[in-house]
Amino acid sequence: MEKVGKKLAVLVGCNYENTRYRLHGCHNDVLAMRDVLVNRFGFDSQHIELLMDKSGSPVMPTGVNIKKALNKMVDEAEPGDVLYFHFSGHGTLTGKKNQEEAIIPLDFNYITNVDIRKIVNRVPEGATFTILSDSCHSGGLIDKEKEQIGPSHHKLKNQEFGENKNNYVSVPNKSESTSKSYYSKPKFIPHETILEHLTSLTNINTSDIGTHMLQLFGNEASVIFSLPQIELDLLKPLKQDEGILLSGCQANEECQDVGGIENENKAYGAFSNAILIVLEKNCGPLSNKELVLKSRDVLENDEHVKTQHPCLYCSDENAQALFLSQG
């Protein structure tokens, strides 16, 4: 077994406070994960960068700031290091022909699967880069990554969530004898809604989201909007890949933000919470594959969470490797 070096992490929790896209559990997700990284996995708190859109936060989770933190982490990485990126917030599909997956920073400057691939390609050989994405449509967030657990490996049920994707959905809480309702909200903003928002900022009359992104963010916009398709097709792993993606759902599904209307301290992302439950119940080391399969079991048995199937995308070797190299 190779010696484990430094352990570095970037944790991003985006609640989109004071907007109509408001979530409630994303800050709680990354704060809880930070404690687990330090207390269980031996991370030094000084090597954990925390980005939250919370009043008083020193660094806001904009697209530029998130990519800057990720690139800084990769720049510092050496063979044997363990790198971890946790994102809890909204996700979407880009609206482009190939419907690429993207996470949505606070300023809506998409970070797409192609951007993630570019970052992963820079990870030194012998270091590992684990991504946990608790956001809608996050399956496949590392472009061209091999599916280990996903739609082609597990038969799905109840794929469709119905209408009203932007609204809270009241779900009966069977564990309580009262008639109180338990609330959940998809961590998803439809492409059309984002296009409307960006149009209001650029005043450009076009349905091409790339035009708006380039107008607003220039060369800080995702490469998916500036590079021609032929160059995007050539963007692929240049060596044995070290990228590991634990996604909260498949590319066609939605992750849930649960609770938090009446008491925000009890709000959480369903997938982040499932991972934390599995880690708490299993004190010994778990492989990436074991962790994702056990998180599926937790979500399948949670009556408050709509159907979402966590997935794993990585090499065969990394599927069997221990989560965050815990020995």
Side-chain angles (χ1 to χ4, degrees):
M1 182 176 177
E2 294 184 6
K3 183 180 178 181
V4 176
K6 300 188 301 295
K7 295 188 175 185
L8 311 171
V10 173
L11 311 180
V12 179
C14 206
N15 273 350
Y16 313 87
E17 296 188 345
N18 303 315
T19 75
R20 62 179 172 138
Y21 316 109
R22 183 82 158 89
L23 297 173
H24 294 268
C26 302
H27 297 168
N28 295 338
D29 291 341
V30 294
L31 289 171
M33 183 56 73
R34 180 182 62 179
D35 290 342
V36 170
L37 292 180
V38 171
N39 296 326
R40 174 165 178 164
F41 292 97
F43 281 67
D44 185 331
S45 59
Q46 294 185 349
H47 291 160
I48 299 175
E49 184 160 3
L50 188 64
L51 288 76
M52 298 190 298
D53 55 338
K54 191 173 184 178
S55 178
S57 293
V59 183
M60 287 291 169
T62 63
V64 168
N65 286 342
I66 295 171
K67 285 189 284 190
K68 182 179 179 181
L70 292 175
N71 281 309
K72 177 175 178 288
M73 181 169 65
V74 172
D75 287 341
E76 295 176 358
E78 298 172 318
D81 288 355
V82 176
L83 281 57
Y84 180 65
F85 172 41
H86 190 126
F87 178 81
S88 181
H90 280 303
T92 194
L93 299 172
T94 62
K96 288 176 68 68
K97 182 178 179 180
N98 294 332
Q99 286 288 53
E100 308 288 354
E101 298 85 5
I103 57 176
I104 305 178
L106 178 62
D107 60 351
F108 285 72
N109 185 7
Y110 285 3
I111 298 176
T112 69
N113 57 352
V114 177
D115 299 315
I116 298 293
R117 165 52 59 201
K118 282 192 68 180
I119 293 170
V120 170
N121 278 353
R122 296 181 49 240
V123 175
E125 189 168 353
T128 58
F129 191 160
T130 301
I131 299 172
L132 191 154
S133 183
D134 192 347
S135 59
C136 289
H137 305 293
S138 51
L141 192 59
I142 301 181
D143 191 39
K144 299 180 175 70
E145 196 55 77
K146 181 176 180 179
E147 175 191 298
Q148 298 289 341
I149 303 172
S152 66
H153 287 70
H154 290 263
K155 186 177 181 181
L156 304 187
K157 55 184 178 180
N158 303 326
Q159 285 188 4
E160 299 300 326
F161 288 103
E163 303 298 326
N164 302 320
K165 291 182 177 179
N166 255 351
N167 300 325
Y168 277 92
V169 180
S170 178
V171 181
N173 184 350
K174 299 176 185 176
S175 63
E176 296 181 4
S177 58
T178 66
S179 60
K180 278 180 67 174
S181 292
Y182 206 88
Y183 290 91
S184 67
K185 183 177 184 178
K187 302 170 87 168
F188 169 71
I189 307 178
H191 169 72
E192 295 76 16
T193 302
I194 294 173
L195 187 60
E196 178 186 337
H197 172 74
L198 296 178
T199 300
S200 72
L201 298 177
T202 63
N203 292 316
I204 299 174
N205 184 21
T206 177
S207 61
D208 176 37
I209 198 165
T211 299
H212 297 291
M213 290 289 183
L214 293 170
Q215 174 69 24
L216 290 169
F217 305 112
N219 60 8
E220 298 293 353
S222 171
V223 294
I224 205 171
F225 301 119
S226 56
L227 289 180
Q229 187 61 49
I230 187 170
E231 290 187 43
L232 293 174
D233 289 339
L234 293 174
L235 188 62
K236 59 185 178 180
L238 304 177
K239 56 181 174 54
Q240 183 176 355
D241 188 50
E242 304 293 351
I244 304 165
L245 171 66
L246 289 74
S247 67
C249 63
Q250 295 164 177
N252 66 328
E253 292 183 332
E254 298 170 349
C255 286
Q256 299 292 313
D257 185 58
V258 182
I261 298 298
E262 297 178 359
N263 184 351
E264 188 152 304
N265 291 330
K266 294 184 178 180
Y268 56 85
F271 180 52
S272 295
N273 187 61
I275 290 292
L276 292 169
I277 288 173
V278 173
L279 291 174
E280 183 177 0
K281 289 184 176 180
N282 297 268
C283 298
L286 292 168
S287 70
N288 291 305
K289 192 167 187 177
E290 288 173 324
L291 182 58
V292 172
L293 288 174
K294 287 180 182 293
S295 74
R296 279 194 169 206
D297 291 338
V298 170
L299 291 175
E300 286 176 2
N301 292 315
D302 189 336
E303 59 195 350
H304 303 308
V305 178
K306 289 185 175 184
T307 306
Q308 63 183 78
H309 299 82
C311 299
L312 175 64
Y313 296 85
C314 62
S315 67
D316 293 339
E317 182 180 356
N318 281 330
Q320 303 303 327
L322 299 180
F323 177 64
L324 298 183
S325 301
Q326 183 187 18

